[in-house]
């Protein structure tokens, strides 16, 4: 029972302590992120039983909303905060074994986690913009941290699109502020019926562009393959498991809680399915395995957004549960794929399918883990992906798009082909002997354990996701728990 | 003529010009300048939204007649934050451009061709 605002305050404190510690010793800074994130996790878990029906409200400066900035954590945000901190913790352990000379890397990493967890915890619209910018600026730096040609080019493209997108997001906030006179999410949601439709549409499209950059929505995702390919493997994991998940949270919070099922979500419906098809087709043509994974990641996000946009057709708790399951599966599955691909290459950054030949034979563990990651993304039984894919298909059916089920299954065949091609390749022929460090291997095994445990024993995840979905679904409870009985 | 309209018009003009430069510019610094212009235009637009014709600074005072006609303080506070964020963004961008110049030996965006599908 410690105030969750410390998650933000302590992360900031630790992040700015890192350069000072770096002056004392080069070995010290890498220990800061694991400690900080572990503390964050403990703080969050100590609040677990306090978050029930509505949102848990944490005021700053003792002023009640709608005035002043406040944090509002409901079960939906709590689940995403836990996901972000867990993946962040695993990655920070991974970085302990990494030989980075520059301590500023750890600072950027911690700020990135801070931005993502700030987004999922805040109850203030402008505050979410600030955290979005912290998240974005630190991820430009993280993508560029490799300092080779590819990573720099990827980072610059990401920056160009991200900067314009987040500015438009700010404009959307201002439009809502002008029409409601408030920046508090719950307050704006309460006043939403008074806003004329044209302003709703304008603000909604501005938000869509801002968030669309983060969630890799077509046509705003031109940066994604380049940034994923240029970044080092763990940063690609972070892009797919943390940064895009914060974007999904924001999309759900804004388009459902604030806009109450924004009718222009139909645009997302089509854009999502287009993203899904184009990205999977692009993945099919890739010779570079990392770029293939990037396109597959975009495709999965497209499917997620498509399922998310179904709420404009039919607001159903099951659809919300599906979004959460898909997000969790993608976070752990794609994270495992990027990490194990890094292990297969042995840190050479040679991702071409020919150069990976036989690497699974010389490094059996990494090969098997890559296969597991591929299986969960494909939705094989006994893996978590099975349940999320089945739920996605049921959601699509419930919303009345039966013919699209065939399309999703057809595209899944492409997925099976291109993942199968890589798996066959890494297990055939003779490769060079490579070794994976103990820490690296155990991090990957933990990712895989999550996938298997959720897949074999899905009941706890389902009930947890269902509770979170209910919290998102009951927007009046969210509003009254923050604004009081109005 | 209403001063507000002039503010809206000119700040939207700045924003459009910024996007245009960012999209058509070939030099990396020029692209960053375009993004910066866009930010500046947006900040001006937000401030002019809060502007009241003939309004004074939103400072609480003992004289109520001064307090009658003030500009909206919230957009100004938002813009202060947005300016700082914009500076951080441009600084990060310039740092990346410096590295690009070191590695590629050029700042021409059409010569960055490492990543192609």
């Amino acid at each position: 029972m410690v105030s969750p605002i410390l998650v933000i305050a302590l992360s900031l404190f630790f992040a700015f302590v890192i350069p000072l510690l770096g002056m004392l010793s080069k070995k010290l800074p890498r220990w800061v992120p694991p400690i900080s994130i572990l503390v964050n996790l403990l703080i969050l878990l100590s609040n677990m039983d306090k978050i029930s029906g509505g949102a848990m409200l944490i005021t700053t400066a003792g002023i009640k909303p709608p005035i002043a900035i406040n944090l509002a954590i409901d079960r939906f945000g709590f689940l995403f905060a836990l996901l972000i901190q867990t993946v962040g913790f695993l990655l920070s352990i991974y970085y302990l074994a990494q030989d980075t000379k520059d301590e500023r890397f750890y600072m950027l990493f911690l700020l990135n986690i801070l931005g993502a967890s700030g987004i999922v915890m805040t109850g203030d619209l402008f505050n979410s913009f600030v955290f979005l910018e912290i998240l974005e600026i630190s991820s430009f730096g993280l993508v560029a941290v490799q300092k080779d040609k590819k990573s720099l080019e990827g980072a610059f493209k990401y920056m160009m699109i991200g900067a314009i997108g987040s500015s438009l997001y700010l404009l959307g906030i201002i439009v809502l502020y002008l029409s409601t006179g408030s920046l508090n999410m719950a307050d704006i949601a309460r006043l939403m019926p008074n806003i004329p439709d044209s302003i709703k549409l304008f603000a909604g499209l501005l938000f869509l562009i801002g968030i669309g950059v983060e969630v890799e929505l077509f046509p705003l995702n031109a940066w994604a393959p380049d940034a994923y390919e240029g970044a080092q493997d763990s940063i690609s994991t972070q892009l797919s498991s943390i940064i895009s998940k914060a974007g999904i949270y924001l999309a759900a919070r804004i388009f459902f809680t604030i806009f109450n099922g924004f009718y222009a979500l139909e645009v997302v419906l089509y854009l999502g399915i287009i993203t899904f098809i184009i990205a999977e087709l692009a993945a099919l043509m890739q010779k570079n395995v990392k770029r293939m994974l990037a396109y597959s990641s975009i495709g999965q996000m497209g499917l997620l957004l498509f399922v998310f946009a179904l709420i404009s057709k039919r607001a159903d708790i099951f659809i919300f549960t599906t979004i959460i399951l898909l997000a969790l599966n993608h976070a752990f599955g794609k994270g495992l794929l990027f990490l194990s691909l890094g292990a297969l290459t042995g840190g050479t950054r040679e991702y071409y399918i020919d150069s990976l030949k036989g690497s699974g034979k010389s490094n059996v563990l990494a090969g098997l883990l890559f296969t597991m990651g591929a299986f969960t993304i494909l939705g094989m039984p006994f893996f978590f992906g099975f349940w999320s894919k089945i739920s996605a298909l049921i959601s699509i059916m419930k919303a009345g798009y039966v013919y699209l089920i065939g399309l999703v299954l057809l595209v899944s065949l492409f997925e099976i082909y291109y993942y199968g091609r890589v798996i066959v390749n890494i297990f055939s022929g003779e490769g060079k002997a490579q070794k994976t460090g103990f820490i690296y291997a155990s991090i990957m095994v933990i990712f895989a354990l999550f996938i298997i445990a959720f897949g074999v024993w899905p009941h706890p995840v389902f009930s947890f996701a269902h509770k979170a979905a209910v919290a998102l679904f009951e927007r009046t409870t969210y509003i009254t728990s923050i604004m009081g009985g109005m | 003529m209403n001063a507000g309209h002039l503010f809206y018009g000119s700040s939207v003009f700045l924003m459009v010009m910024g996007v245009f430069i960012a999209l058509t510019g070939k030099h990396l610094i020029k692209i960053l300048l375009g993004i910066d212009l866009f930010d500046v235009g947006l900040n001006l637009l937000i401030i002019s939204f809060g502007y009241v014709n003939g309004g004074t600074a939103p400072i609480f005072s003992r004289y109520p007649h001064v307090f009658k006609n003030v500009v909206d303080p919230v957009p100004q506070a938002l813009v202060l934050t947005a300016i700082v964020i914009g500076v951080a963004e441009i600084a990060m961008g310039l740092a990346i451009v410096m590295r690009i110049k070191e590695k590629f030996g050029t700042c021409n965006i059409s010569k960055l061709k490492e990543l192609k599908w």
Side-chain angles (χ1 to χ4, degrees):
Chain A
M1 175 43 233
V2 191
S3 172
I5 203 164
L6 285 176
V7 171
I8 290 162
L10 281 179
S11 298
L12 267 180
F13 170 75
F14 279 121
F16 292 118
V17 156
I18 287 173
L20 294 177
L21 284 178
M23 286 178 191
L24 292 176
S25 147
K26 287 285 161 203
K27 290 252 178 236
L28 230 42
R30 69 184 55 183
W31 291 95
V32 177
I35 294 171
S36 165
I37 296 174
L38 189 62
V39 171
N40 289 348
L41 265 176
L42 292 177
I43 293 172
L44 281 175
L45 286 176
S46 76
N47 285 293
M48 193 162 181
D49 47 351
K50 280 198 72 188
I51 299 165
S52 49
M56 178 186 179
L57 178 69
I58 298 106
T59 53
T60 53
I63 305 172
K64 283 237 157 67
I67 305 167
I69 293 168
N70 62 286
L71 299 185
I73 311 169
D74 62 355
R75 280 199 171 124
F76 183 62
F78 187 74
L79 185 141
F80 274 83
L82 272 189
L83 170 72
I84 287 163
Q85 299 286 349
T86 312
V87 176
F89 182 67
L90 291 175
L91 286 178
S92 70
I93 299 284
Y94 163 80
Y95 292 136
L96 283 180
Q98 195 193 33
D99 196 29
T100 305
K101 296 201 171 55
D102 203 334
E103 75 271 6
R104 285 170 297 183
F105 170 74
Y106 301 102
M107 193 169 95
L108 280 176
F109 170 70
L110 202 50
L111 285 176
N112 199 268
I113 303 285
L114 160 83
S117 35
I119 285 177
V120 301
M121 284 170 22
T122 186
D124 185 276
L125 210 46
F126 186 71
N127 205 9
S128 76
F129 165 73
V130 174
F131 283 124
L132 186 71
E133 284 284 13
I134 294 178
L135 180 75
E136 280 198 339
I137 295 173
S138 57
S139 38
F140 308 150
L142 284 174
V143 171
V145 95
Q146 198 75 25
K147 289 180 194 159
D148 61 6
K149 282 185 173 181
K150 284 185 175 178
S151 68
L152 288 170
E153 194 183 327
F156 193 80
K157 286 179 180 168
Y158 187 11
M159 209 213 79
M160 268 177 71
I161 302 174
I164 302 275
S166 54
S167 293
L168 291 177
Y169 181 83
L170 175 62
L171 189 56
I173 294 173
I174 297 301
V175 170
L176 282 190
Y177 169 75
L178 286 177
S179 41
T180 61
S182 176
L183 285 170
N184 189 293
M185 287 184 186
D187 198 26
I188 294 175
R190 185 174 62 90
L191 298 169
M192 208 62 197
N194 306 340
I195 303 178
D197 269 0
S198 56
I199 291 183
K200 259 192 209 173
L201 184 66
F202 182 51
L205 289 179
L206 289 171
F207 280 122
L208 189 62
I209 297 172
I211 300 170
V213 174
E214 284 310 297
V215 295
E216 301 156 13
L217 184 68
F218 176 83
L220 303 160
N221 55 10
W223 62 273
D226 296 344
Y228 275 90
E229 190 191 341
Q232 68 182 58
D233 308 309
S234 52
I235 303 299
S236 305
T237 304
Q238 203 162 335
L239 280 170
S240 68
S241 314
I242 296 179
I243 298 170
S244 58
K245 296 302 163 295
I248 285 290
Y249 169 87
L250 210 52
R253 184 57 83 213
I254 285 176
F255 291 123
F256 192 73
T257 307
I258 295 182
F259 280 91
N260 192 13
F262 182 46
Y263 60 89
L265 269 182
E266 275 179 41
V267 181
V268 183
L269 204 67
Y270 299 118
L271 287 181
I273 201 85
I274 290 172
T275 312
F276 182 54
I277 295 168
I278 290 184
E280 299 288 8
L281 282 176
L284 202 60
M285 290 185 268
Q286 288 306 312
K287 289 272 181 295
N288 182 328
V289 180
K290 197 168 185 193
R291 212 165 167 79
M292 184 199 93
L293 288 184
Y295 277 115
S296 160
S297 189
I298 298 169
Q300 293 292 318
M301 292 303 284
L303 179 64
L304 218 172
L305 286 166
F306 170 66
V307 174
F308 168 69
L310 290 177
I311 59 172
S312 66
K313 292 284 170 202
R314 182 187 163 144
D316 193 317
I317 292 180
F318 190 76
I319 294 178
F320 291 101
T321 318
T322 309
I323 300 168
I324 294 168
L325 291 178
L326 280 171
L328 284 176
N329 178 44
H330 185 242
F332 288 113
K334 207 36 78 54
L336 178 63
L337 277 172
F338 276 119
L339 286 178
S340 54
L341 178 66
L344 283 174
T345 59
T348 51
R349 291 173 67 71
E350 286 288 330
Y351 299 112
Y352 281 92
I353 201 161
D354 299 329
S355 59
L356 282 170
K357 214 161 203 142
S359 52
K361 264 188 184 166
S362 48
N363 192 345
V364 181
L365 179 70
L368 282 179
L369 291 170
F370 185 88
T371 314
M372 279 180 174
F375 277 6
T376 193
I377 295 293
L378 293 175
M380 294 287 173
F382 303 113
F383 292 93
F384 185 38
F386 177 69
W387 303 107
S388 59
K389 201 147 216 167
I390 290 283
S391 319
L393 294 179
I394 294 174
S395 307
I396 295 171
M397 205 166 69
K398 274 192 172 183
Y401 283 96
V402 183
Y403 59 95
L404 280 178
I405 291 183
L407 188 64
V408 171
L409 288 177
L410 182 72
V411 176
S412 298
L413 284 182
F414 297 161
E415 278 184 320
I416 292 176
Y417 173 71
Y418 66 72
Y419 276 117
R421 190 179 55 185
V422 176
I423 292 168
V424 167
N425 245 295
I426 60 178
F427 282 114
S428 63
E430 285 305 310
K432 298 162 281 185
Q434 285 145 354
K435 270 199 289 185
T436 312
F438 173 71
I439 294 180
Y440 195 165
S442 42
I443 294 299
M444 289 192 296
V445 169
I446 293 172
F447 267 93
L449 283 180
F450 270 114
I451 292 165
I452 302 267
F454 291 168
V456 177
W457 196 35
H459 184 69
V461 193
F462 259 96
S463 70
F464 200 51
H466 179 75
K467 278 180 191 165
V470 171
L472 177 64
F473 188 70
E474 289 175 348
R475 60 190 286 278
T476 32
T477 322
Y478 178 83
I479 295 167
T480 45
S481 62
I482 290 169
M483 301 302 297
M486 277 201 266
Chain B
M1 186 184 160
N2 192 345
H5 293 166
L6 189 64
F7 289 145
Y8 295 156
S10 47
S11 42
V12 169
F13 175 70
L14 271 179
M15 283 167 72
V16 172
M17 207 161 71
V19 172
F20 181 75
I21 292 173
L23 289 182
T24 58
K26 285 271 177 264
H27 197 275
L28 295 179
I29 305 266
K30 238 181 203 172
I31 292 171
L32 279 183
L33 280 177
I35 294 172
D36 200 34
L37 262 185
F38 181 77
D39 274 353
V40 169
L42 180 60
N43 290 341
L44 277 173
L45 185 66
I46 296 171
I47 291 214
S48 45
F49 277 146
Y51 181 73
V52 177
N53 234 352
T56 55
I59 300 169
F60 189 69
S61 82
R62 277 184 291 167
Y63 309 107
H65 64 275
V66 182
F67 201 60
K68 245 193 296 184
N69 197 17
V70 293
V71 297
D72 188 352
V74 176
Q76 300 189 355
L78 301 188
V79 162
L80 269 183
T81 319
I83 288 172
V84 176
I85 289 171
V87 169
E89 211 163 54
I90 296 301
M92 183 56 96
L94 285 173
I96 293 173
V97 171
M98 257 175 66
R99 296 274 183 208
I100 288 178
K101 174 78 184 162
E102 265 172 32
K103 293 282 172 189
F104 288 80
T106 175
C107 278
N108 189 336
I109 193 158
S110 50
K111 292 203 174 124
L112 308 185
K113 280 183 182 163
E114 277 294 307
L115 298 161
K116 268 278 161 80
W117 71 290

